[in-house]
C-alpha cells in the first residue's frame, strides 16, 4: 500500500478511442486543465479499439443494411442512416483538424479510402436493396452510390465474390467509393502520443479498483499498480469512465443513481483472417451482407479489406458468441459480478426476453471451423479452409435497461453516456456504431457534463468541427465542402491506384 495521493482536474479511465478523443478535445478547449489517464493494460488501444479486435469500418451508413429498415408500408426509413452519416462527418472533421494543426501526422496510417458495398441475394432482398438505393442515392450525404444487379458489373466490382458462383438466385449490390477503413488502434495510439506531448500523465498497468465521492464533491479513485500491487488514491473534479466493457462495474461502484437498474450483456466475436496474399489481392472493398434471421445487428456478416501495419489484409465475420467476460482480457466472473440488487430484476427480465438471442449466441460458439467456412463460402464460393485462420475479436457489452418503449430489461444496441446530474462523472456504455462516432459521442458528453463552459468553448469547437450544431442535410453546400476538404487532408482523394498497389 502506498500513500501516494494526487489531485487533478480530469481523470480518464481507460486508454481506448473514447478516452483518447475526449482527452484530445479537452486539451484543445482548455489546455491548462491537468489530465491523468489510468489504463490497466501495458499500452493504449489494446482492447476493443485495437485494430484486430474490431472491423475498422468507418461507419457512415454507406453499406450497413441494419441502419435502413423497411417500414410496414414497404418504404425505407433512412433517418438512422442520415444520423450516423452526419456523426461520422464530425469525426472526419476533427481528425482533419488534428492533421492540419500537425497534432497528429501520417493519416494514411489510420484511415484509407475503400469502397463500401452492400450485397444481397434472392428476389426479396434485391427489391429491398433497390428501394434502399433509391431512397439514399438522391440524398447529398450518399452521393456517388451505384446499384447493379448485372452479374458482369458485379464481377468487375467484386471478382472474388462472383467467381465460381453457381447459384442462379438474383444478386445485387450497391457501391460507394467514399467509404473508409479506419485503424482505430493506430489512431488511439497517435492520440495518446499527442496527449503525452501535452503533459498528460498516462499511467499504464494501473487498474482503477474503486471510485467514491469525497465530501467536497470530487471523486477519489483507488488505483492499483498491476505489477507491484501498490495502491494509490487519486482525486479529480471530473472523471470519465472510458473503460469499454469495464465501464459498467466502475459506474456501479460510483453509486450514482443514474447508474442504477442498468445491466450489461457481453457478446464476444470471432473473425476469420485470410493468410493467402493471392486471395487478399483479389478483393478491394468492405462488403456487408444482411443479418441472418434471429441474429443481432452486430453480427451482420461482412468481407472486409483492411489496412493494418502497412499491409493489406482480408477479414470475414464477425461470428458472434457468448463469454461472460466484459473485456477480452477480463474475468469469467464479470457478468455475475455485475448483477446487483438494483438491477437483478432488469437482468432477469432481459434474460427471459432474449432466450432466442442467447440460443443463437450459444449456437455460434459451437460452430466448427468448417461450419464457419460454409458461411464464408456464401461470400467467396471457392474459399479454401487452409487459407483462413480464426482470430478472437473484442468483447461488446450491450446495455440492458428499463425503457418506456421496450419495458423492463430491454437490450440496447447503441452507445449510451450515463452521467451524474451535476456532470462530475460520466461513463460510456455500449459499443455501436462505436469508434466511428467517438467525436459525436464525446461532444455530447461535453454538452452534458460541462454546460457552464459550452458558450465559451463553442467558437473553438466550431473551428475544429465546422458542422458542429448544424444539420448537414439542410446545408448541402457544406457537405460538399467538408467531403472535399477532409478527403484532401486525410489523403482520401485520388488514392485508388495507391490502394490497389498496397496489395
Ligand atoms: C467485434 C467488434 C467489431 C467492431 N467493429 C467496429 C467497426 O467496424 N467500426 C467501429 O466504429 N466500431 C466498431 N466496434 C466498436 C468499437 O471497437 C468500440 O466502440 C470502441 O473501440 C470502444 O472504445 P472504448 O475506448 O470505449 O473502449 P476500449 O477500446 O475497450 O478501451 C477501454 C480501455 O479501458 C481499460 N479499462 C477497463 N477497465 C479498467 C479499469 N478498471 N482500470 C483501468 N483501465 C480499465 C481497458 O483495458 C481498455 O484499454 C467493434 C467492436 C467489436 C467488439
Amino acid at each position: 500500500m502506498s500513500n501516494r495521493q494526487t489531485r487533478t482536474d480530469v481523470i480518464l479511465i481507460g486508454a481506448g478511442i473514447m478516452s483518447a478523443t475526449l482527452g484530445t478535445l479537452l486539451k484543445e478547449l482548455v489546455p491548462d486543465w491537468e489530465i491523468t489517464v489510468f489504463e490497466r493494460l501495458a499500452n493504449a488501444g489494446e482492447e476493443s479499439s485495437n485494430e484486430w479486435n474490431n472491423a475498422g469500418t468507418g461507419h457512415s451508413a454507406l453499406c450497413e443494411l441494419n441502419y435502413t429498415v423497411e417500414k410496414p408500408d414497404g418504404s425505407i426509413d433512412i433517418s438512422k442512416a442520415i444520423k450516423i452519416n452526419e456523426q461520422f462527418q464530425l469525426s472526419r472533421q476533427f481528425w482533419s483538424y488534428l492533421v492540419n494543426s500537425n497534432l497528429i501526422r501520417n493519416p494514411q496510417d489510420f484511415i484509407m479510402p475503400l469502397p463500401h458495398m452492400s450485397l444481397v441475394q434472392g428476389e426479396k432482398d434485391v427489391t429491398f436493396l433497390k428501394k434502399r438505393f433509391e431512397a439514399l442515392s438522391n440524398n447529398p450525404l450518399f452521393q456517388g452510390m451505384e446499384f447493379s444487379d448485372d452479374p458482369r458489373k458485379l464481377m468487375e466490382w467484386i471478382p472474388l465474390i462472383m467467381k465460381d458462383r453457381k447459384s442462379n438466385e438474383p444478386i445485387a449490390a450497391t457501391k460507394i467509393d467514399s467509404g473508409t477503413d479506419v485503424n482505430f488502434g493506430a489512431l488511439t495510439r497517435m492520440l495518446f502520443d499527442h496527449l503525452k506531448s501535452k503533459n498528460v500523465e498516462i499511467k499504464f498497468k494501473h487498474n482503477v479498483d474503486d471510485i467514491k465521492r469525497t465530501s467536497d464533491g470530487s471523486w477519489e479513485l483507488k488505483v492499483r499498480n498491476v505489477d507491484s500491487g501498490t495502491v494509490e488514491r487519486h482525486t479529480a473534479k471530473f472523471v470519465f469512465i472510458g473503460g469499454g466493457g469495464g465501464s459498467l462495474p466502475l459506474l456501479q461502484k460510483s453509486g450514482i443513481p443514474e447508474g442504477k437498474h442498468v445491466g450489461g450483456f457481453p457478446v464476444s466475436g470471432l473473425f476469420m483472417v485470410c493468410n493467402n496474399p493471392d486471395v487478399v489481392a483479389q478483393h478491394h472493398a468492405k462488403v456487408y451482407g444482411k443479418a441472418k434471421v434471429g441474429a443481432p445487428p452486430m453480427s451482420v456478416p461482412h468481407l472486409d479489406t483492411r489496412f493494418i501495419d502497412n499491409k493489406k489484409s482480408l477479414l470475414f465475420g464477425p461470428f458472434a458468441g457468448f463469454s461472460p467476460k466484459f473485456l477480452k482480457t477480463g474475468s469469467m466472473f464479470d457478468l455475475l459480478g455485475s448483477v446487483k440488487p438494483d438491477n437483478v430484476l432488469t437482468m432477469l427480465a432481459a434474460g427471459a426476453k432474449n432466450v432466442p438471442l442467447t440460443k443463437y449466441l450459444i449456437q455460434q460458439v459451437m460452430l466448427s471451423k468448417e461450419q464457419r467456412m460454409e458461411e464464408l463460402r456464401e461470400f467467396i464460393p471457392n474459399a479454401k479452409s487452409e487459407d483462413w485462420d480464426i482470430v478472437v475479436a473484442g468483447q461488446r457489452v450491450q446495455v440492458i435497461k428499463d425503457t418506456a418503449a421496450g419495458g423492463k430489461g430491454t437490450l440496447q444496441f447503441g452507445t449510451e453516456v450515463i452521467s451524474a446530474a451535476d456532470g462530475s462523472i460520466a461513463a460510456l456504455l455500449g459499443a455501436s456504431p462505436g469508434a466511428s462516432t467517438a467525436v459525436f459521442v464525446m461532444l455530447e458528453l461535453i454538452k452534458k457534463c460541462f454546460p457552464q463552459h459550452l458558450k465559451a468553448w463553442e467558437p473553438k469547437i466550431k473551428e475544429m468541427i465546422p458542422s458542429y450544431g448544424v444539420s448537414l442535410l439542410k446545408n448541402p453546400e457544406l457537405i460538399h465542402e467538408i467531403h472535399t476538404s477532409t478527403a484532401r487532408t486525410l489523403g482520401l482523394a485520388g488514392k485508388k491506384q495507391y490502394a490497389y498497389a498496397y496489395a
Side-chain angles (χ1 to χ4, degrees), residues 13-20 38-41 43-50 53-59 184 206-209 240 242-247 250 267 269-271 286 288 302 304 318 327 329 393-396 415 428 430-437:
I13 304 175
I17 188 68
M18 296 296 171
S19 288
F38 295 107
E39 165 56 54
R40 62 195 283 273
L41 300 178
N43 292 299
E46 291 284 287
E47 267 289 339
S48 288
S49 302
N50 186 272
N53 288 347
N54 64 63
T57 303
H59 284 305
F184 290 108
H206 279 66
N207 193 82
V208 177
D209 283 349
F240 171 58
S247 289
L250 290 171
V267 177
L270 291 178
F271 288 117
K286 280 182 183 278
Y288 275 61
H302 45 99
D304 290 35
L327 292 163
T329 57
Q395 284 288 105
R396 285 178 160 121
T415 45
L428 180 83
S432 188
S436 303
T437 55

Side-chain angles (χ1 to χ4, degrees), residues 6-115:
T6 66
R7 188 163 261 283
T8 179
D9 295 308
V10 171
I11 287 179
L12 307 174
I13 304 175
I17 188 68
M18 296 296 171
S19 288
T21 304
L22 181 60
T24 308
L25 280 165
L26 287 176
K27 261 291 151 197
E28 291 306 290
L29 296 171
V30 263
D32 57 339
W33 277 10
E34 279 180 25
I35 302 179
T36 307
V37 183
F38 295 107
E39 165 56 54
R40 62 195 283 273
L41 300 178
N43 292 299
E46 291 284 287
E47 267 289 339
S48 288
S49 302
N50 186 272
E51 49 272 45
W52 289 106
N53 288 347
N54 64 63
T57 303
H59 284 305
S60 41
L62 304 178
C63 58
E64 307 84 341
L65 298 175
N66 53 315
Y67 297 150
T68 44
V69 188
E70 189 164 1
K71 292 198 271 193
D73 68 0
S75 63
I76 308 289
D77 180 357
I78 62 166
S79 53
K80 188 165 183 190
I82 290 172
K83 214 166 77 185
I84 288 166
N85 189 300
E86 290 221 6
Q87 291 175 2
F88 186 63
Q89 305 311 322
L90 302 181
S91 293
R92 277 178 67 136
Q93 291 168 76
F94 185 54
W95 300 337
S96 294
Y97 162 81
L98 295 174
V99 172
N100 275 330
S101 315
N102 272 327
L103 300 177
I104 58 174
R105 291 184 180 82
N106 304 330
Q108 72 279 5
D109 289 350
F110 76 88
I111 188 163
M112 287 293 282
L114 189 66

Side-chain angles (χ1 to χ4, degrees), residues 4 6 15 36-41 200-207 223 225 232 234:
R4 185 160 179 235
T6 66
T36 307
V37 183
F38 295 107
E39 165 56 54
R40 62 195 283 273
L41 300 178
V200 168
E201 193 177 7
I202 305 165
K203 312 257 298 178
F204 291 112
K205 293 193 167 184
H206 279 66
N207 193 82
V223 183
N225 181 318
E232 302 167 354
H234 296 269

